[in-house]
Amino acid sequence: MYNQFKSISLSHRNAPLAIREQLALNEAGAKSMMLRLKDFFDVSDVLVVSTCNRTEIYYSSSTDLNEDIIKMLLIEKGISDIESFTSYFERFSEGENAVQHLFQVATGLHSQVVGDMQIPNQIKHAYQWSADLNMAGPFLHRLLHTIFFANKKVAQETFFRDGAASVSYASVELLESLMPNPKVLIVGLGEIGADVCRNLEQSSTADVTIINRTRSKSDKLAAELGFKVADFADIEAEIAHADVIVSSITRDEPFFTKEMMVRLRGMSFKYFIDLSVPRSVSPEVEEIPGVMLYTIDSIRSKADEALKRRLEAVPHVQGIIDEAVTEFNDWSKEMIVSPTIQKLKGALEQIRKEELTRFTKSLSDSELEKVERITTSMMQKILKLPVLQLKAACKRGEAETLIDVLNDLFNLEADKTTH
């Protein structure tokens, strides 16, 4: 099973946002894709991961289906020019590489912002979708739980998750510290403004309204995240209503000025977070009583400091991953001998029961109970050494030889057909 695990990956490492957004899958889309894979191919242990930065499909199959699955995904998303998209995908056709890649994705090593705290939850959602459709077998269950345990060690033993390491996440962390349950107005939905929105949706209880000059863009993002939308023409009314205004609009001169704040006099306390370059909020707004301004420089400085700590932790994180992968590899190899162990147990148990039936007819219940206990203990001790030898042979890559020997010694294949 280990060597049959494979995956395809479309991510920010190889594909621009314009490509990634065309292939993103929501929960319904991911589940639909899994069902189509099940209908068309002989696959198991299917996991579909889709975030704003990546769309990935993991599966187990004796056949390399990577090219077929890429084509199916593109067709499912209504893309006809398949050849122009295929170069954006990474393919992992070896089990070891696919497992290592999933570990690195799930821990945040491959995130656009290293150590992204959202990715573990996104992987858990994907795992739940797979479980909902009964497409997570023993291999995937064990793999994901090993990953979750490694993630816990990363959080406990390293600085890899400390601090907000992206400007958008640092902005959300800042606005959440300003007041509980703020009314937030997001102005401008370029890449950074959209990222702020998605981070807010993931981690905040804020009441969010979004405004963009192109209303259709606001409507689309609001539908995705469940936020409110306002027209750009109503921006001054929305400013008066908001506690925190996050601006990432692009223009040559400040849009939010002291004159605008004077015009909106009588308003409540306001916080501005200016993520624009050039600045879209005039520094003079702070001359108005009750108005405070945070600029991108201060936020970026905080994010850069956190990112530095995270990057320093990368070797430790990779060490935790390598240890977890080794443990998982050992378990996966032992899965190969598990059927032989069960057949051996069954064969010995059959012998024990047959002999007890022959020689214990005259025993009392208490005597029979003692004999049961003694013979069961004997069987467990007899089994212990072959089981240990089988597991050791797995690690040496010699399991098949020992399996053949046990099959011949105990006639296990015949036992399988007669019982």
Side-chain angles (χ1 to χ4, degrees), residues 30 43 85 94 102 117 120-121 144 153 168 178 187 191 236 242 254 274 282-283 304 319 367 370 383 387 399 415 418:
V43 295
F85 277 77
E94 301 292 330
L102 182 53
M117 290 181 284
N121 287 332
L144 268 296
K153 287 189 71 175
S168 57
L178 298 176
V187 185
E191 187 166 354
E236 292 196 3
D274 187 0
S282 170
D304 287 347
E367 289 172 331
K370 286 180 182 178
L383 273 168
V387 169
D415 179 75
T418 56

Side-chain angles (χ1 to χ4, degrees), residues 10-53:
L10 178 103
S11 75
H12 64 92
R13 300 202 302 175
N14 295 312
L17 178 61
I19 297 294
R20 300 198 307 272
E21 64 186 3
Q22 292 184 63
L23 297 175
L25 297 166
N26 57 18
E27 179 178 351
K31 287 183 174 180
S32 174
M33 188 67 195
M34 285 192 278
L35 290 172
R36 286 183 68 80
L37 288 171
K38 187 176 182 181
D39 288 341
F40 279 85
F41 305 115
D42 182 16
V43 295
S44 61
D45 295 299
V46 180
L47 184 77
V48 177
V49 178
S50 190
T51 72
C52 58
N53 286 324

